[in-house]
Structures are given as C-alpha cells and as structure tokens.
Amino acid sequence: MQKKSHIHFSYPPNLHELDLATLVSMYRERGIPKKAKAGEYFGCALTQRMIKDGKWWFGRHYSQKAWDELLTKSCEGYPLTEVELNVLGLAMIAEGEPPKRDYVEQNSGAISKLAYMIVNDLKEYGFLSIDDQERLMITPRGEKALQGIARRIYDKKFSAAMLHVNRENTAQPTIERAKKKEENEQANLF
C-alpha cells in the first residue's frame, strides 16, 4: 500500500545499534522540551527553520507548532508512528483469540526492546489492554488512535494491508551460491 504522507513521527532506522540503557533514555525523553544553549540554535526537523527551543525526538528537534502538526487525530498527545500502527493494527485484526504480546512485538516493524516499551506505553495510555495470558486487545480509544495514524499515513481507514507483516514489497534476500568445480578441474600443483 502506498503512503500518502510522510508528515508523521518515525523512529530512526539504526536504533538497533544502541545499547539498552541509551535506548530507554532516548525513548523516555521523547517530547521533552529542550532549550538551546546561549548563542546556539536548533533546526526544526519539519520546517527547517532555526528555533531556540523545541521538543526533542531521537536527536531531532521540533518547534511546538511542528510537533502539534505531527500529532494525529485521537492520539491524545501520544506521538504515533508506523510501529504503533502495526501494534494496534495487529490487535485490531485478530480473529477469534487476541494475539500474544510476543507475536505483536516481533511483527511491529521495530526492534524487540523498543516494541516492548511501546506496548507498555500503549497500555498505559489506554489504547491497549493486556490480559493475564499476555494477549493484546485494542480498546475503543486505541481504535480511534489507529484510525488517526492510518488516515495520516495512507489517507484511508485502517486495513490489514497497511500492516508490516502484510506488505508485499518486503525485500526477500537471496543468497547466491558459488559454483562447484569439477574434480578434474583441480589445478596441477607441480
């Protein structure tokens, strides 16, 4: 499915390089207002304008106006990305029994350490509920948030085709095999 907008939050693609302590620290500090040192400025990642203070997102800074523009309908202030779309979407499309937490984390499109924190936060915000068997269920608030991020990225209501696990354009790596030489092709050493 083709994206219609890239104006939404996204996690840096190389988060797997970070140790757990750094990742947790960066995740917990997202959205915190930061002020530039005297005589210095930040560049707003969305507007490309110089700003004295802005909200921080994994090394990027956003003016308050840009931050508000990136927030999606019904997100209740929680910055949603494609990873949250995948987590909420997997919980929503579950037929019969709700999906297990580990399955959702593995198919979220993020590294497992980040996915674990995201699931916890979505539960704390009331977008998900988790039962005693570690099954995830989307709440009505979560459904509204899911529709908001789906409309932002794809300009459509949520559908299963938007999920990371259902994308057809996922690269399937292939390994080229070396050709085996015939026994009689061995080089003469003498």
Side-chain angles (χ1 to χ4, degrees):
M1 182 163 278
Q2 180 125 5
K3 294 180 185 178
K4 301 291 183 183
S5 173
H6 293 284
I7 299 178
H8 57 86
F9 292 102
S10 62
Y11 296 107
N14 62 339
L15 285 178
H16 63 278
E17 296 175 8
L18 301 176
D19 62 81
L20 182 59
T22 304
L23 178 63
V24 170
S25 174
M26 291 179 88
Y27 183 77
R28 293 292 168 218
E29 289 181 10
R30 72 198 195 291
I32 292 182
K34 302 224 177 189
K35 200 168 195 68
K37 295 177 186 173
E40 293 183 10
Y41 290 88
F42 299 133
C44 177
L46 184 63
T47 65
Q48 308 301 312
R49 300 181 74 94
M50 301 304 292
I51 55 176
K52 271 307 249 180
D53 52 64
K55 290 199 171 184
W56 188 84
W57 176 270
F58 293 91
R60 298 182 215 135
H61 295 89
Y62 295 94
S63 67
Q64 184 63 53
K65 185 177 179 186
W67 183 270
D68 292 343
E69 188 177 329
L70 289 169
L71 293 174
T72 56
K73 185 177 180 184
S74 301
C75 73
E76 301 179 19
Y78 185 92
L80 296 172
T81 70
E82 284 187 81
V83 176
E84 285 82 3
L85 181 142
N86 284 310
V87 170
L88 293 169
L90 286 168
M92 180 146 171
I93 65 163
E95 294 178 12
E97 188 173 311
K100 294 275 192 183
R101 179 182 182 136
D102 60 342
Y103 171 79
V104 171
E105 289 173 0
Q106 290 169 3
N107 293 290
S108 68
I111 59 173
S112 60
K113 297 177 271 188
L114 178 61
Y116 181 84
M117 292 185 288
I118 289 170
V119 168
N120 285 345
D121 275 3
L122 291 174
K123 178 184 175 279
E124 290 302 314
Y125 267 77
F127 296 148
L128 285 176
S129 63
I130 304 174
D131 68 9
D132 55 348
Q133 295 174 351
E134 294 289 304
R135 295 180 301 189
L136 304 180
M137 290 143 305
I138 193 166
T139 65
R141 291 171 65 190
E143 287 182 33
K144 288 179 184 175
L146 174 62
Q147 295 302 339
I149 188 66
R151 286 205 185 274
R152 171 65 60 88
I153 296 173
Y154 297 102
D155 199 26
K156 294 180 180 181
K157 281 184 79 169
F158 171 76
S159 73
M162 296 174 185
L163 295 175
H164 179 72
V165 295
N166 295 334
R167 290 200 196 124
E168 294 174 31
N169 62 355
T170 304
Q172 297 295 329
T174 59
I175 299 172
E176 188 176 320
R177 295 190 178 261
K179 293 180 181 175
K180 188 176 180 181
K181 288 187 175 184
E182 297 288 331
E183 284 184 37
N184 57 2
E185 289 184 29
Q186 185 171 359
N188 188 352
L189 300 176
F190 301 102

